[in-house]
């Protein structure tokens, strides 16, 4: 569900098929090996971070109020998602299963009793 309360669904496999076709039509599959895709993902994530680079925390929270910033954020987040989906596809990773497994692991790693309101990484906690 998004912030407006509307249900948001993304058909991972359908989008991966679209991305596969997009790459094939352009003969880009030859460049879409895991190393290159992971590198491209990092570059896109850096472009996303760059938008926030000099904002104050308050400006970052309110940034979607500016149409140009909102547009840039949507596009950079989409670019990150594209490379995540393409990389998972190339590696044969079922993202839905991986996400569910990782959520379960995180719930065990960060129990509410220890993690609530605490930003200290679990490996750096005392006691």
């Amino acid at each position: 569900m998004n912030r407006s309360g509307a249900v948001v669904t993304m058909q991972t496999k359908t989008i991966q098929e679209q991305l596969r076709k997009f790459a094939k039509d352009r003969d880009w599959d030859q460049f879409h090996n895991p190393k290159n895709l992971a590198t491209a993902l990092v570059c896109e994530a850096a472009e996303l971070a760059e938008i926030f680079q000099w904002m104050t925390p308050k400006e970052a929270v309110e940034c979607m109020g500016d149409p140009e910033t909102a547009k840039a954020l949507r596009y950079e987040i989409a670019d990150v998602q594209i490379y995540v989906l393409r990389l998972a596809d190339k590696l044969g990773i079922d993202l839905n299963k991986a996400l569910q497994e990782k959520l379960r692991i995180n719930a065990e790693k960060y129990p509410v009793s220890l993690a609530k309101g605490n930003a200290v990484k679990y490996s750096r906690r005392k006691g």
Side-chain angles (χ1 to χ4, degrees):
M1 200 173 288
N2 68 12
R3 291 171 62 183
S4 70
V7 175
V8 178
T9 58
M10 184 163 93
Q11 303 293 330
T12 302
K13 298 230 182 273
T14 300
I15 294 172
Q16 284 176 317
E17 289 169 8
Q18 291 172 336
L19 293 171
R20 213 177 295 133
K21 181 179 180 336
F22 185 90
K24 183 181 178 200
D25 289 349
R26 289 155 181 79
D27 195 25
W28 287 354
D29 201 52
Q30 62 182 315
F31 308 117
H32 286 190
N33 61 70
K35 178 198 75 73
N36 287 354
L37 291 168
T39 301
L41 171 60
V42 170
C43 292
E44 292 300 339
E47 289 179 20
L48 174 61
E50 184 179 26
I51 295 169
F52 292 105
Q53 185 172 7
W54 302 115
M55 288 183 188
T56 65
K58 183 178 186 297
E59 289 169 335
V61 169
E62 297 171 351
C63 68
M64 292 302 285
D66 175 62
E68 285 302 310
T69 302
K71 179 179 174 182
L73 286 167
R74 284 194 311 274
Y75 290 171
E76 293 306 335
I77 289 171
D79 284 340
V80 168
Q81 184 74 357
I82 285 168
Y83 283 114
V84 166
L85 290 167
R86 191 75 174 123
L87 181 58
D89 188 37
K90 283 298 210 170
L91 294 172
I93 295 170
D94 181 325
L95 276 176
N96 293 323
K97 286 182 184 176
L99 286 167
Q100 291 302 315
E101 183 178 358
K102 188 60 174 156
L103 286 170
R104 182 186 51 74
I105 289 167
N106 285 350
E108 292 171 7
K109 192 185 289 186
Y110 301 101
V112 173
S113 62
L114 296 176
K116 188 171 184 176
N118 185 352
V120 177
K121 185 172 170 89
Y122 68 94
S123 62
R124 300 199 54 168
R125 286 191 213 125
K126 296 177 184 175

